[in-house]
């Protein structure tokens, strides 16, 4: 690319090489989201091979998903340090090594390590950098770009579901894991497309940082004594080192906290229905290929829903209030699960898979766009890392809790009802709290404009602050006697 202007960081091009970056993100995000779901095809056979329960085999997907999300801060730190390209390529290598090692496992615990931790960590190194680099290459078309990139998940799931069934019937689950490990190495190729947006960014950043440090030192020298200056400057440097990788001040951001709490609750029931959809179909007497076809139906609808949702979210009517749209999508997803007990036949499961794919695609298309809308592109890298580490706990517990419900009651409907109720609750919470957040933002903006239009109010406020500081400085035990004498003189002058 052409060199950036001196002293200015290059802006998002909203096109050009960004489309190739979008294609690489499409592949990386597709594997990161679809691969744990596609492995559900092998669960019934692995369960019989090792003689485990539903909840024990569900831990494989749970550990993989929890590691993918829980390693978010590590991925964010690596991206800030090395950039997206080497991180994604190293993640693809880890994915391949993890699945190839899983082909030689002799116990369920070894599967937890190889598939859950190693492959899950590799997928984390694919997911976070792919989402982050889209925000660097796109601004005006960002919602649409996020929707297109997130469409990689249903495309991969639509391909992996029948492919996994074919591989299992011809090579067994061990041979299938070997082939899948080789397929995952394509993430390295996708990562090679993530070219840095401009070489001028790093020098500009360091220059701004140095200027900020010089200004900070000058301010401390003017405002305070030399002894306090040294302590405060040291504290600032330490704080800057921590915030260089993760911005913990986001925990003071009202919108970020609302988003994080709602998502943590949502993920308690987000992935379990997909993990157990194919086993549920087999449990009702449906053959293996028809059960795998349900995942393909879900993926096809999801494939259309994600870019469509991105285009709708990018419209001038929806984008200013995209948080409401996101809340509706979550509640709609939960409502689909609550109606699963009515789907007693294969036709009913096909209808459920179609609506589930629509709702799932709507949520995933806006999952990161809503976060970027709240915190901005500059703080998005840290926000993704902090949110995913908070979400990993409920992601880890979701499918095993569903497996425990299945083992306890011998019926899948209670697992679907639990997931549906949790997601409806999460959607309702986000809707109410986002309404409150929008009201508070409007109120704060109104107060700010009022202060700008009324300079007398600003001057009065500044004088009040100065007087308060003056009084607080003079409030010392050694000055009590002087204050008492002053009050006595005032009384004498007033004739009291």
């Amino acid at each position: 690319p052409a060199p950036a202007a001196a002293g200015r960081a290059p802006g998002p091009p909203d096109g050009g090489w960004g489309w190739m970056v979008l294609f690489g993100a499409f592949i990386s995000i597709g594997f990161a989201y679809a691969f744990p779901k596609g492995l559900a095809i092998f669960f019934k056979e692995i369960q019989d091979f090792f003689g485990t329960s539903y909840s024990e085999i569900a831990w494989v997907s749970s550990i993989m998903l929890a590691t993918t999300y829980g390693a978010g801060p590590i991925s964010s730190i690596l991206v800030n340090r090395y950039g997206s390209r080497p991180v994604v390529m190293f993640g693809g290598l880890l994915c391949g090594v993890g699945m190839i090692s899983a082909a030689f496992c002799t116990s369920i615990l070894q599967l937890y390590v190889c598939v859950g931790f190693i492959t899950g960590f590799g997928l984390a190194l694919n997911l976070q950098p792919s989402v982050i680099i889209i925000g660097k290459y796109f601004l005006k078309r960002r919602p649409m770009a996020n929707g297109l990139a997130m469409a990689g998940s249903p495309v991969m799931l639509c391909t992996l579901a029948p492919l996994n069934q074919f591989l299992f019937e011809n090579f067994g689950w061990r041979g299938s894991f070997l082939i899948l490990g080789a397929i995952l190495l394509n993430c390295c190729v996708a990562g090679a497309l993530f070219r840095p947006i401009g070489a001028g960014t790093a020098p500009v950043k360091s220059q701004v940082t140095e200027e900020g440090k010089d200004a900070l030192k000058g301010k401390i020298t003017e405002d305070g004594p030399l002894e306090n200056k040294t302590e405060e400057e040291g504290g600032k440097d330490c704080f800057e080192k921590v915030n260089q990788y993760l911005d913990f001040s986001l925990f003071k951001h009202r919108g970020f906290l609302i988003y994080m709490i709602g998502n943590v609750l949502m993920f308690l029931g987000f992935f379990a229905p997909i993990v157990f959809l194919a086993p549920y179909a087999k449990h009702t007497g449906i053959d293996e290929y028809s059960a795998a076809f349900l995942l393909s139906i879900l993926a096809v609808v999801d494939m259309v829903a994600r870019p469509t949702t991105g285009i709708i979210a990018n419209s001038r009517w929806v984008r200013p209030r995209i948080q409401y749209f996101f809340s509706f999508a979550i509640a709609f997803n939960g409502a689909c699960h609550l109606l699963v007990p009515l789907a007693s036949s294969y036709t009913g499961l096909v209808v459920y898979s179609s609506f589930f794919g629509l709702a799932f695609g709507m949520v995933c298309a806006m999952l990161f766009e809503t976060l970027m809308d709240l915190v901005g592109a500059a703080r998005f890298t840290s926000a993704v890392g902090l949110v995913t580490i908070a979400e990993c706990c409920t992601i880890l517990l979701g499918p095993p809790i569903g497996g425990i419900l299945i083992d306890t009651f011998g019926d899948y409907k209670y697992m679907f009802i639990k997931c549906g109720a949790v997601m409806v609750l999460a959607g309702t919470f986000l809707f109410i709290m986002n309404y409150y957040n929008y009201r508070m933002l409007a109120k704060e903006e109104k107060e700010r404009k009022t202060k700008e239009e009324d300079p007398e109010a600003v001057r009065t406020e500044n004088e009040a602050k100065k007087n308060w500081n003056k009084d607080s400085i003079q409030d010392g035990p050694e000055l009590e006697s002087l204050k008492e004498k002053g009050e006595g003189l005032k009384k004498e002058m007033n004739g009291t």
Side-chain angles (χ1 to χ4, degrees):
R8 298 182 64 183
D14 273 304
W17 187 258
W19 298 117
M20 297 302 297
V21 172
L22 183 62
F23 176 69
F26 177 89
I27 296 174
S28 298
I29 293 174
F31 277 120
Y33 276 118
F35 195 77
K37 306 166 196 170
L39 284 182
I41 298 295
F42 302 102
F43 281 0
K44 184 66 178 173
E45 287 70 29
I46 294 175
Q47 181 183 349
D48 295 338
F49 184 85
F50 290 114
T52 59
S53 63
Y54 284 104
S55 58
E56 288 176 327
I57 195 64
W59 278 104
V60 176
S61 286
S62 291
I63 293 173
M64 181 187 291
L65 288 168
T67 306
T68 302
Y69 278 77
I74 300 175
S75 182
S76 297
I77 290 172
L78 292 174
V79 170
N80 285 333
R81 179 67 180 85
Y82 301 104
S84 294
R85 177 188 278 174
V87 174
V88 173
M89 295 178 73
F90 179 65
L93 183 63
L94 276 182
C95 290
V97 170
M99 289 305 297
I100 292 171
S101 302
F104 302 96
C105 292
T106 57
S107 69
I108 193 70
L109 291 176
Q110 293 175 2
L111 276 181
Y112 292 162
V113 174
C114 295
V115 179
F117 289 109
I118 299 177
T119 306
F121 185 64
L123 294 177
L125 299 184
N126 278 272
L127 176 61
Q128 313 291 346
S130 303
V131 174
I132 290 167
I133 200 167
I134 289 174
K136 294 181 180 179
Y137 268 89
F138 292 91
L139 179 60
K140 294 180 180 179
R141 300 174 178 173
R142 195 181 65 210
M144 183 181 67
N146 275 319
L148 290 171
M150 298 299 280
S153 173
V155 171
M156 292 295 180
L157 183 59
C158 184
T159 306
L160 285 174
L163 175 64
N164 287 349
Q165 190 65 43
F166 172 79
L167 291 176
F168 172 73
E169 291 186 353
N170 289 273
F171 304 101
W173 68 269
R174 293 187 184 276
S176 301
F177 280 14
L178 282 172
I179 297 172
L180 289 174
I183 292 174
L184 282 173
L185 292 175
N186 285 285
C187 293
C188 300
V189 182
L193 297 174
F194 290 174
R195 187 168 65 189
I197 193 168
T201 306
V204 171
K205 182 178 178 183
S206 60
Q207 179 183 355
V208 172
T209 306
E210 292 299 324
E211 291 176 0
K213 286 183 178 179
D214 293 340
L216 178 65
K217 291 177 182 178
K219 186 177 184 304
I220 294 172
T221 307
E222 293 174 2
D223 295 346
L226 186 62
E227 309 88 70
N228 294 338
K229 173 199 137 180
T230 307
E231 295 177 3
E232 191 171 345
E233 185 180 325
K236 287 284 183 181
D237 288 342
C238 180
F239 187 73
E240 285 172 1
K241 288 178 181 178
V242 174
N243 278 270
Q244 184 180 0
Y245 300 112
L246 289 176
D247 186 5
F248 289 100
S249 65
L250 283 166
F251 287 108
K252 297 179 181 179
H253 192 290
R254 185 172 57 243
F256 173 79
L257 290 175
I258 292 171
Y259 176 90
M260 185 177 68
I261 294 170
N263 274 34
V264 166
L265 183 61
M266 177 194 73
F267 276 110
L268 196 60
F270 192 60
F271 287 114
I274 294 183
V275 172
F276 289 106
L277 179 58
Y280 173 49
K282 294 178 183 179
H283 178 75
T284 57
I286 297 171
D287 62 276
E288 286 82 358
Y289 269 102
S290 298
F293 187 64
L294 290 175
L295 289 175
S296 298
I297 293 172
L298 186 151
V300 169
V301 178
D302 190 3
M303 190 190 313
V304 178
R306 295 197 189 202
T308 305
T309 302
I311 294 171
I312 294 173
N314 201 37
S315 65
R316 59 188 177 92
W317 300 283
V318 178
R319 191 168 185 180
R321 293 292 181 267
I322 195 174
Q323 306 296 334
Y324 290 146
F325 194 27
F326 182 57
S327 306
F328 165 76
I330 295 173
F332 176 50
N333 200 320
C336 293
H337 303 324
L338 291 175
L339 298 176
V340 166
L342 301 177
S344 56
S345 63
Y346 184 70
T347 304
L349 287 176
V350 169
V351 174
Y352 162 71
S353 299
S354 302
F355 278 97
F356 183 23
L358 174 62
F360 193 85
M362 291 173 65
V363 173
C364 290
M366 294 183 290
L367 191 61
F368 294 108
E369 174 58 33
T370 48
L371 178 59
M372 195 178 294
D373 176 71
L374 288 169
V375 303
R379 306 171 77 185
F380 181 66
T381 305
S382 296
V384 170
L386 294 174
V387 164
T388 51
I389 191 65
E391 292 168 349
C392 74
C393 298
T394 49
I395 291 172
L396 179 67
L397 295 175
I401 290 175
I404 291 172
L405 290 174
I406 296 170
D407 291 332
T408 303
F409 296 101
D411 198 338
Y412 282 79
K413 69 179 181 180
Y414 297 103
M415 185 274 301
F416 285 103
I417 291 173
K418 182 270 296 183
C419 295
V422 166
M423 294 200 68
V424 169
L425 179 62
T428 306
F429 169 82
L430 283 173
F431 188 89
I432 294 173
M433 295 306 296
N434 282 319
Y435 174 76
Y436 166 76
N437 187 35
Y438 280 133
R439 289 287 300 271
M440 292 299 296
L441 289 174
K443 182 180 177 181
E444 291 164 0
E445 180 67 16
K446 185 178 179 181
E447 291 177 353
R448 186 184 64 81
K449 288 183 178 179
T450 304
K451 289 181 180 179
E452 289 178 354
E453 293 173 359
D454 189 5
E456 184 66 27
V458 176
R459 188 175 62 186
T460 306
E461 184 180 351
N462 291 336
E463 289 177 356
K465 287 181 179 179
K466 289 180 181 178
N467 292 333
W468 183 87
N469 290 332
K470 186 177 179 182
D471 293 341
S472 62
I473 291 171
Q474 292 178 353
D475 281 347
E478 66 278 1
L479 299 179
E480 287 296 326
S481 59
L482 293 177
K483 289 177 66 178
E484 291 176 0
K485 289 180 181 179
E487 290 174 1
L489 290 173
K490 285 181 181 178
K491 289 179 180 179
E492 291 177 4
M493 293 174 64
N494 293 332
T496 306

